[in-house]
């Protein structure tokens, strides 16, 4: 690590002769900082967040130095390009047991492997590759919950696989229901959890066939889904996400009355489109979080990850067979993807403003642009054996493991490393605002 030449101004020269202790103190300080570089926001020396027992091939030493230097940078992590990364992947389907069968693309015969060998490069800074030892040190003694649908679970399983290079968790779930799992990393007292809530609000399936044979759901857009809202108060971090279930037919209820629907084809019920339900669902979910009396955690909105069906809809023969990422100038966010993205971000900003009044923190984990460029990262037909007699469509919604979704942990770790300064600034703003109110 190169240190920039530093010029120290001590005022009057003669004071140095009179105070040799000052000279010794300055020399000692420079030597100390040279030998033990600090992560200034974490207040951890580098050797505390580096696991020396890990094989060196797992980490790029340049990434560690980049990480130490990039924490103070204010570049947009989420605007960039995918660049080749020959060192990936950092785990395999044989070294990680957490991979869901339908995302285990290599097991089920996917013939290409280049989709695993890319990394995200922001335009104006560097995003270090995920370092599991650093992550576990940062979250020591804390807890993180994924709240949402199966793409959120996909993200959690990716994180477990990335962390498996340091430690595997033990199952501490309070229920045998696979939709509500909890895992604990015993050496770090760190807990991971997933809460299944595909629509974020209270809902139930009204007709398992429905207008297009994918089910018809009743959504109570102004009612909390207590399956998760009563469970998350204790968590230090929440990652909220939802999206693809809103494409299905739905009947919308507010104040216990039908107010409209999305493609329900019911007489005298107005079609309000899926965007109406999507926006209202996020509004209610954020309202639930802001209403928690003892919640002091950080809420991340993980933005919508577009699907990549081509030559047909998901249930009409559509598939995703590309083998390389798009460049950012080859595709743009538009139509349904743009509408969904804007709806959730607008509701996020409103909730963030309201939450600040209580000292709550909201963060935007904006994965949309990066994932829009990855049509090559889905399981497609490689989520089951070809000869299996199962009714499964080509999967262009979830992500192969290993695969592009692993980059979400790169984003998350870098955001956590930047959190110290940002939280401190927001706390000062909050306290200042309260003082003004008192006056």
């Amino acid at each position: 690590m190169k240190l920039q030449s530093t010029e120290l101004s001590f005022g009057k020269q003669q004071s140095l002769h009179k105070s040799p202790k000052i000279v010794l103190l300055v020399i000692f300080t420079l030597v100390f900082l040279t030998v033990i570089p600090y992560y200034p926001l974490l207040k951890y020396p580098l050797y505390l967040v580096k696991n020396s027992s890990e094989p060196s091939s797992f980490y790029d030493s340049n990434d560690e130095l980049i990480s130490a230097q990039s924490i103070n940078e204010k570049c947009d992590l989420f605007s960039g390009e995918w660049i080749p990364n020959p060192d990936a992947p950092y785990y395999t389907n044989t070294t990680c047991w957490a991979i869901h069968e339908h995302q285990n693309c290599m097991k089920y015969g996917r013939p290409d492997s280049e989709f695993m060998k890319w990394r995200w490069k922001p335009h104006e800074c560097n995003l270090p590759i995920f370092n599991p030892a650093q992550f576990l040190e940062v979250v020591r003694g804390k807890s993180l919950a994924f709240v949402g649908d199966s793409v959120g679970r996909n993200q959690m399983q990716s994180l477990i696989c990335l962390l498996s290079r340091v430690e595997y968790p033990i199952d501490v779930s309070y229920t045998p229901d696979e939709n509500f799992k909890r895992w604990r990393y015993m050496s770090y007292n760190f807990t991971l959890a997933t809460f299944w809530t595909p629509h974020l609000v209270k809902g139930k399936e009204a007709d398992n066939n429905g207008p297009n044979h994918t089910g018809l759901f009743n959504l109570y857009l102004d009612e909390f889904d207590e399956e998760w809202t009563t469970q998350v108060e204790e968590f230090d971090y929440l990652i909220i996400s939802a999206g693809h279930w809103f494409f299905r037919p739905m009947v919308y209820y507010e104040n216990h009355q039908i107010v409209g629907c999305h493609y329900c084809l019911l007489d005298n019920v107005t079609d309000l489109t899926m965007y109406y339900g999507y926006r209202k669902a996020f509004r209610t979910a954020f309202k639930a979080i802001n209403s928690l009396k003892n919640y002091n955690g950080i809420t991340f909105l993980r933005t919508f990850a577009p699907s990549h069906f081509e030559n047909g809809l998901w249930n009409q023969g559509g598939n995703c067979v590309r083998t390389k990422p798009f460049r950012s100038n080859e595709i743009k966010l538009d139509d349904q993807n743009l509408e969904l993205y804007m709806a959730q971000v607008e509701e996020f900003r409103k909730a963030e403003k309201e939450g600040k009044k209580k000292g709550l923190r909201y963060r935007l984990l904006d994965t949309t642009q990066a994932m829009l460029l990855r049509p090559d990262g889905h399981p497609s037909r490689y989520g089951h054996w070809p000869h299996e007699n199962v009714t499964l469509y080509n999967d262009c919604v979830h992500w192969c493991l290993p695969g592009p979704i692993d980059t979400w942990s790169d984003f998350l770790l870098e955001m956590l490393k930047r959190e110290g300064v940002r939280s401190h600034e927001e706390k000062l703003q909050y306290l200042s605002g309260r003082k003004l109110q008192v006056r």
Side-chain angles (χ1 to χ4, degrees), residues 10-11 54 62 79 87 91 97 124-125 134-135 165 182 248 256 289 298 322 325 376 382 387 410 430 434:
F10 292 99
E54 285 296 314
N62 290 329
S79 176
D87 294 331
Y91 64 90
W97 49 256
E124 297 179 357
C125 63
Q134 287 182 12
F135 182 87
R165 293 173 282 161
R182 293 200 185 200
R248 302 187 182 200
H256 308 292
I289 293 169
I298 301 175
R322 295 179 186 263
D376 57 319
Y382 300 108
H387 62 268
D410 299 350
Y430 171 66
R434 294 198 64 178

Side-chain angles (χ1 to χ4, degrees), residues 172-191:
V172 292
S173 303
Y174 60 90
T175 171
D177 189 340
E178 290 295 315
N179 291 322
F180 302 93
K181 298 292 293 183
R182 293 200 185 200
W183 306 93
R184 180 165 296 144
Y185 291 81
M186 301 303 292
S187 300
Y188 296 86
N189 190 27
F190 170 57
T191 301

Side-chain angles (χ1 to χ4, degrees), residues 411-428:
F411 288 137
L412 180 60
L413 177 54
E414 185 64 16
M415 293 177 75
L416 292 177
K417 289 192 291 188
R418 295 179 175 193
E419 188 58 43
V421 164
R422 185 169 180 182
S423 289
H424 179 67
E425 290 174 347
E426 290 184 357
K427 186 174 182 180
L428 290 178

Side-chain angles (χ1 to χ4, degrees), residues 304-339:
F304 181 67
S307 63
H308 292 93
F309 291 99
E310 296 185 58
N311 301 316
L313 298 176
W314 67 276
N315 59 345
Q316 296 177 9
N319 204 352
C320 41
V321 296
R322 295 179 186 263
T323 57
K324 288 185 178 181
F326 289 121
R327 298 285 296 176
S328 61
N329 61 358
E330 293 179 316
I331 190 172
K332 65 178 182 178
L333 194 68
D334 58 13
D335 300 331
Q336 291 180 329
N337 291 331
L338 180 61
E339 289 286 341

Side-chain angles (χ1 to χ4, degrees), residues 325-392:
F326 289 121
R327 298 285 296 176
S328 61
N329 61 358
E330 293 179 316
I331 190 172
K332 65 178 182 178
L333 194 68
D334 58 13
D335 300 331
Q336 291 180 329
N337 291 331
L338 180 61
E339 289 286 341
L340 293 173
Y341 174 80
M342 292 303 298
Q344 63 178 176
V345 172
E346 287 168 7
E347 293 304 318
F348 169 84
R349 294 303 181 196
K350 293 175 186 176
E352 179 184 35
K353 183 178 180 179
E354 191 64 29
K356 279 184 177 180
K357 297 176 183 177
K358 298 177 60 179
L360 295 180
R361 292 164 290 172
Y362 281 79
R363 304 290 181 254
L364 195 65
L365 182 55
D366 195 343
T367 59
T368 301
Q369 178 63 21
M371 304 317 286
L372 177 68
L373 305 183
R374 293 307 306 268
D376 57 319
H378 300 289
S380 179
R381 64 181 181 275
Y382 300 108
H384 59 92
W385 296 116
H387 62 268
E388 287 184 279
N389 185 21
V390 291
T391 304
L392 288 175

Side-chain angles (χ1 to χ4, degrees), residues 133-310:
Q134 287 182 12
F135 182 87
L136 286 169
E137 201 60 60
V138 171
V139 298
R140 181 185 288 275
K142 297 184 182 298
S143 54
L144 185 159
F146 293 91
V147 178
D149 57 19
S150 54
V151 179
R153 183 173 61 215
N154 201 179
Q155 182 182 5
M156 186 190 74
Q157 291 163 344
S158 165
L159 180 57
I160 290 175
C161 287
L162 289 166
L163 294 176
S164 68
R165 293 173 282 161
V166 173
E167 183 174 324
Y168 273 114
I170 64 170
D171 190 335
V172 292
S173 303
Y174 60 90
T175 171
D177 189 340
E178 290 295 315
N179 291 322
F180 302 93
K181 298 292 293 183
R182 293 200 185 200
W183 306 93
R184 180 165 296 144
Y185 291 81
M186 301 303 292
S187 300
Y188 296 86
N189 190 27
F190 170 57
T191 301
L192 272 180
T194 181
F195 293 93
W196 170 259
T197 175
H199 297 108
L200 298 178
V201 295
K202 181 179 177 182
K204 66 179 181 181
E205 190 171 33
D207 180 356
N208 61 10
N209 193 21
N212 59 4
H213 309 293
T214 59
L216 176 66
F217 295 84
N218 290 341
L219 294 193
Y220 303 89
L221 295 176
D222 55 352
E223 297 186 41
F224 300 165
D225 179 0
E226 294 184 349
E227 291 279 9
W228 69 270
T229 60
T230 59
Q231 300 281 334
V232 299
E233 202 167 32
E234 68 194 77
F235 285 85
D236 297 287
Y237 309 107
L238 300 181
I239 299 181
I240 308 293
S241 61
H244 296 285
W245 280 74
F246 286 82
F247 286 87
R248 302 187 182 200
M250 296 170 287
V251 177
Y252 301 139
Y253 286 77
E254 293 180 59
N255 196 27
H256 308 292
Q257 301 291 325
I258 295 177
V259 295
C261 73
H262 164 57
Y263 195 66
C264 63
L265 304 184
L266 297 177
D267 293 337
N268 302 318
V269 179
T270 303
D271 193 325
L272 296 176
T273 76
M274 65 178 169
Y275 310 121
Y276 179 89
Y278 195 63
R279 180 182 293 276
K280 286 293 187 78
F282 272 102
R283 185 176 300 177
T284 298
F286 290 137
K287 181 180 178 181
I289 293 169
N290 282 337
S291 69
L292 296 173
K293 292 182 179 180
N294 299 311
Y295 175 64
N296 294 306
I298 301 175
T299 302
F300 293 86
L301 168 63
R302 196 271 299 156
T303 60
F304 181 67
S307 63
H308 292 93
F309 291 99
E310 296 185 58

Side-chain angles (χ1 to χ4, degrees), residues 63-64 66-67 70 119 126-130 410 414 417:
D63 283 335
E64 290 170 349
I66 288 169
S67 177
S70 67
R119 64 181 295 180
N126 290 289
L127 178 64
I129 294 294
F130 183 82
D410 299 350
E414 185 64 16
K417 289 192 291 188

